Amino acid sequence: MGFTEKQEGLVKESWGVLKQDIPHFSLRFFSLILEIAPGAKNMFSFLRESEEIPQNNPKLKAHAVKVFKMTCESAIQLREKGEVVVADTTLKYLGTVHVKSGVKDPHFEVVKEALLRTIEEAIGEEKWNEEMKNAWGEAYDQLAEAIKAEMKNHH
Ligand code: HEM
């Protein structure tokens, strides 16, 4: 079965919650990434420079928001078109940036886990359920596949 209107609604609804406190959820997202994969720290310019995860760092927030927002956009596309289409220029840029930063395919699973846990915390245990997890998971996976495929052209 394709991506349903209900799944799209679930993703949009929880993105609405994340959006209300970007500084907090961005920080949480990165804390979880480093909790799952401490080695990831050295790939991010803004994490390399300090011991602690910097509060209110614009680059940190930008990356978190890109991941949240592009996954949400992917959910919309999955429902509308049945596939994720990232604009060509954006995809090329994403391919280059990630290859240059030393990102490897397995890192996408780390970020997925951190993303799902951040959303779970944001919307609360009572409202979080399998359906929501799968909707975000599917939208993220398809976006990640597109980026990983592009990365293969940039080594
Ligand atoms: C940079 C998006 C997954 C590590 C960037 C940039 C974008 C982006 C747009 C350019 C800088 C910016 O505008 O903030 C995404 C999206 C992802 C994703 C949409 C998944 C769907 C990952 C993963 C990793 C990663 C899995 C590794 C754990 C990095 C690093 C940079 C970067 C290290 C360079 C940032 C810096 O040092 O300033 N990403 N990314 N990204 N990304 Fe990702």
Side-chain angles (χ1 to χ4, degrees), residues 33 40 43-46 48 59 62-63 66-67 70-71 93-94 97-98 101 103 107-108 111 140 143-144 147:
I33 291 176
M43 290 190 299
F44 292 94
S45 57
F46 48 87
R48 266 198 302 272
K59 284 189 175 176
H63 193 275
K66 281 281 183 199
V67 175
M70 286 188 74
T71 304
Y93 170 63
L94 289 174
V97 164
H98 290 106
S101 305
V103 177
H107 291 126
F108 283 85
V111 164
Y140 176 87
L143 173 62
I147 300 173

Side-chain angles (χ1 to χ4, degrees), residues 53-123:
I53 302 180
Q55 306 261 340
N56 258 312
N57 181 288
K59 284 189 175 176
L60 182 148
K61 277 191 282 193
H63 193 275
V65 169
K66 281 281 183 199
V67 175
F68 300 156
K69 216 171 165 171
M70 286 188 74
T71 304
C72 189
E73 284 160 4
S74 295
I76 297 169
Q77 291 180 344
L78 277 175
R79 209 267 305 153
E80 284 179 352
K81 305 181 193 146
E83 61 175 334
V84 171
V85 185
V86 186
D88 234 21
T89 46
T90 309
L91 199 54
K92 286 216 167 67
Y93 170 63
L94 289 174
T96 312
V97 164
H98 290 106
V99 168
K100 262 196 201 160
S101 305
V103 177
K104 303 278 184 278
D105 284 6
H107 291 126
F108 283 85
E109 279 305 306
V110 172
V111 164
K112 179 184 181 181
E113 184 63 31
L115 172 71
L116 295 178
R117 279 163 67 180
T118 303
I119 302 159
E120 177 175 3
E121 286 183 16
I123 72 155

